[in-house]
Amino acid sequence: EVQLVESGGGLVQPGGSLRLSCAASGFTFRNYWMHWVRQGPGKGLVWVSRINSDGSSASYVDSVKGRFTISRDNAKNTLYLQMSSLRAEDTAVYYCVRDREATDNDHFDYWGQGTLVTVSS
Amino acid sequence: AIRMTQSPSSLSASTGDRVTITCRASQTIYSYLAWYQQKPGKAPKLLIYSASTLQNGVPSRFSGSGSGTDFTLTISSLQSEDFASYYCQQYYTYPLIFGGGTKVEIK
């Protein structure tokens, strides 16, 4: 059974940093592109970032470029999102998501339960 | 970036109704479109990809159509478990963009 379990969310002050983790199981993690998608309170879905299967390439939405870094450890089956210079508008539930197929297809068949990040003083 | 416009933003319907949600892209995305369902407090669920291909395990009352810039999600006979929010997503190019969502409520 495919499982994606996020952790690392919490309350952080504006300008602060946080690292999210996503532990993957039930599939060959190293074969899949992975993404982070977020959802602000009462708002819609926003794609944040993606990383290719070996971690050599990443993309970001403009609003987080230069502040967030996606990475992965295929030996540990874990995806990360390092977030810095956090702003109130980064407050959201952050979902770890998997590409539907083990190729570059950029739509998502498995989602984690999400981890809440709250940026507030 | 491509803009994805969903309509309506909300609708009220009864069990058994046929429901149609539309999604319009600001430029062609060919058939690189997915639809998701999200229930309150839950992660989204993939319903349809490639504009019209039903994801494994999704009931056949859900269908998708369209290509280019105009797309439709149809629920042929609304069931109680279908009351939820629905989102389209283009994956033709980065940044990947979701539509604003459509909330389907009970009339």
Side-chain angles (χ1 to χ4, degrees):
Chain A
E1 177 195 6
V2 172
Q3 285 197 317
L4 299 169
V5 180
E6 301 96 337
S7 60
L11 175 63
V12 61
Q13 292 189 339
S17 299
L18 211 55
R19 187 177 84 157
L20 306 183
S21 300
C22 171
S25 61
F27 66 103
T28 307
F29 179 72
R30 65 180 181 271
N31 289 349
Y32 284 79
W33 290 37
M34 298 292 295
H35 304 248
W36 290 96
V37 173
R38 70 184 182 186
Q39 186 169 36
K43 298 192 175 180
L45 301 167
V46 176
W47 171 81
V48 174
S49 182
R50 69 87 180 159
I51 189 166
N52 68 345
S53 54
D54 67 5
S56 62
S57 172
S59 297
Y60 301 90
V61 68
D62 281 352
S63 59
V64 309
K65 279 181 185 175
R67 301 188 299 123
F68 290 12
T69 303
I70 191 172
S71 62
R72 65 192 296 161
D73 185 335
N74 286 344
K76 295 182 178 179
N77 290 342
T78 303
L79 175 72
Y80 302 100
L81 185 67
Q82 178 68 48
M83 306 184 294
S84 61
S85 302
L86 282 161
R87 306 166 181 166
E89 54 264 36
D90 296 318
T91 294
V93 172
Y94 284 74
Y95 293 102
C96 165
V97 300
R98 189 192 85 162
D99 266 1
R100 184 180 60 82
E101 291 182 322
T103 56
D104 165 17
N105 49 58
D106 292 335
H107 55 282
F108 321 122
D109 63 346
Y110 283 96
W111 297 62
Q113 84 286 356
T115 188
L116 176 62
V117 173
T118 303
V119 184
S120 175
S121 54
Chain B
I2 294 175
R3 295 183 306 278
M4 303 297 293
T5 304
Q6 263 184 257
S7 60
S9 56
S10 65
L11 65 91
S12 295
S14 301
T15 303
D17 285 352
R18 182 181 182 89
V19 169
T20 299
I21 297 168
T22 64
C23 182
R24 175 166 288 175
S26 60
Q27 65 185 74
T28 185
I29 57 170
Y30 300 93
S31 294
Y32 294 99
L33 187 96
W35 288 98
Y36 300 86
Q37 176 194 66
Q38 186 180 32
K39 297 182 178 180
K42 300 293 187 182
K45 171 187 173 183
L46 178 65
L47 298 176
I48 286 169
Y49 60 93
S50 299
S52 61
T53 303
L54 207 62
Q55 171 69 348
N56 291 340
V58 174
S60 59
R61 64 181 179 272
F62 291 93
S63 63
S65 64
S67 66
T69 60
D70 293 312
F71 302 88
T72 299
L73 172 69
T74 300
I75 309 172
S76 60
S77 178
L78 199 66
Q79 303 300 301
S80 57
E81 60 267 32
D82 301 336
F83 292 97
S85 293
Y86 294 84
Y87 295 89
C88 61
Q89 179 228 333
Q90 71 81 18
Y91 54 97
Y92 172 63
T93 188
Y94 290 112
L96 308 179
I97 300 291
F98 291 89
T102 296
K103 186 173 184 179
V104 177
E105 299 175 302
I106 300 173
K107 183 183 284 183

